[in-house]
Amino acid sequence: MTAVEPHIRDAWHREDKEENVGSPRYLIHTLGCQMNERDSEIMAGQLETMGYAPTAAEDEADLIIINTCAVRGSAEDHALGHIGRLKQLKAQHPHMTLAVAGCMAQEPKTIAWLKRHAPHVDLVFGTHNLHQLRRLLDEAEQHEEMLVEVWKSAGDTLAEHVPSRRKQGVRAQVNIIYGCDKFCTYCIVPFTRGRERSRRLDDVLAEVQALAGEGYEAITFLGQNVNSYGHDFDPPVDLADLLTRVEPIEGIRWLHFMTPHPRDFSQKLLEFIGQSHKVSRQLHLPVQAGSNPILRRMNRKYTREQYLDLIARARSVIEDVTFTTDIIVGFPGETEEDFALTLDLVQQVRFDSAFTFLYSAREGTPAARWEDRDPVPNPVKKDRLNRLMALQYQISWEANQHLLGTTPVVLVEGRSKKDPHVWAARTQQGKVVLVERETETDLTDRFVPVRITVAKTFYVAGRIAGEPLNAPPRRAKSIPMW
Ligand code: 5AD
Ligand code: SF4
């Protein structure tokens, strides 16, 4: 799981077409990870088949859904604050429907809070029953009080063939495995998303095939533990098997997957990536901490030495591989010596970038029940976070210097927010590239070679060095049933 930049997230809310005049309007606020992003697409698809059209303006919406994240306290506070603020809007627009969905909805404490503080919410549903949105909305309309329908688990069969409204463009995310069985002691995900369930390989293949037919060219496979894919089948299959079957699909240029767990990263998968022309050579491998006592307390199921060995093996079979990671600072029991080992590991691996988090005790997780549930004082945590970030920024800057003079192919995402004379793009390794806009031609969603001439900490920049590899993509896409 990794954070997603907000500017990408709301792209499909902004379409405003003439044919939508008179339709009821929906707005989905999505917090958290890619799994939530994908869930929002599935909610949007159902709403659009019911005749709803998207809007970006809350006061125009007939339906607002807050798709919440429970991974840290800050994400929860953000959602609760937003829900609280919508009380006034709801009073002005009594016919508007307000729904709360996502990981927080799976937590009993959220339901209690909503009942007490947010009676203006009409509907609460969870991560396991979002494919029933049509029925839930119908029932909520008949209900005087808040309708709460949260399933504890997904049941025996996975919901397939649910309509979904993906973002325009050439990138698509595809779920391949839901849930998590790892039970890291700090993490709420196994409780909000349930046990691991893989989608059938044929279902995934058919979806990618259809996406290629729609003009999607870059696919990201999603799962909380994406490289556990297929272990629950008899006979089992794995992520390398899936990628082997997907790679020949014509029209797909880039393949990516997130998030793998270091413990389940097989040699077979490393070797597959090493010889693949489509799979990204950027591996996001959350390490979380650099000291063995803390890794053990976190129940990460690997040691520092095993993690470093995985990095070394990846480097030996995947040319030009780069790594990114997630790190938690201030986990219960983390001493200055433990933290020094995290800094040391960061120095050794030289991640391209890292998502760094202050530990946040999550009610319902094992670590939150320990006696020392949160003993590292906040100023100490923050000081460690600052030191970690300073080190990582230095390494990111140095890593970017190696790109000077190279000519990677980048995927243009659109005009830069800060400077309309510049295209914002990314390499296949996820690196932000700012590209000088030299002509009026719209390069959005085109793959273009760019010569890198500037390298900073958070981005590189350069000039177009050749023709786009793909034709301008088709704009209007259907709502496929997945
Ligand atoms: N506190 C802080 N960070 C957390 N993460 C997960 N749970 C917590 C928590 N309780 C971080 C991990 C994970 C990322 C998505 O969020 O680093 O990889
Ligand atoms: Fe949470 Fe650990 Fe599962 Fe990742 S592997 S979702 S951190 S429990």
Side-chain angles (χ1 to χ4, degrees), residues 1 180 182-184 186-187 189-190 224-225 261 288 300:
M1 302 182 302
C180 179
K182 286 284 187 292
F183 290 96
C184 300
Y186 53 81
C187 186
V189 167
Q224 253 89 24
N225 253 317
H261 192 288
Q288 312 297 3
R300 287 295 288 176

Side-chain angles (χ1 to χ4, degrees), residues 1-2 71-72 186-188 286 288 326-328 357-362:
M1 302 182 302
T2 322
V71 82
R72 279 174 294 278
Y186 53 81
C187 186
I188 196 72
Q288 312 297 3
D326 293 348
I327 297 172
I328 298 176
F357 306 105
L358 291 176
Y359 171 67
S360 159
R362 308 282 61 226

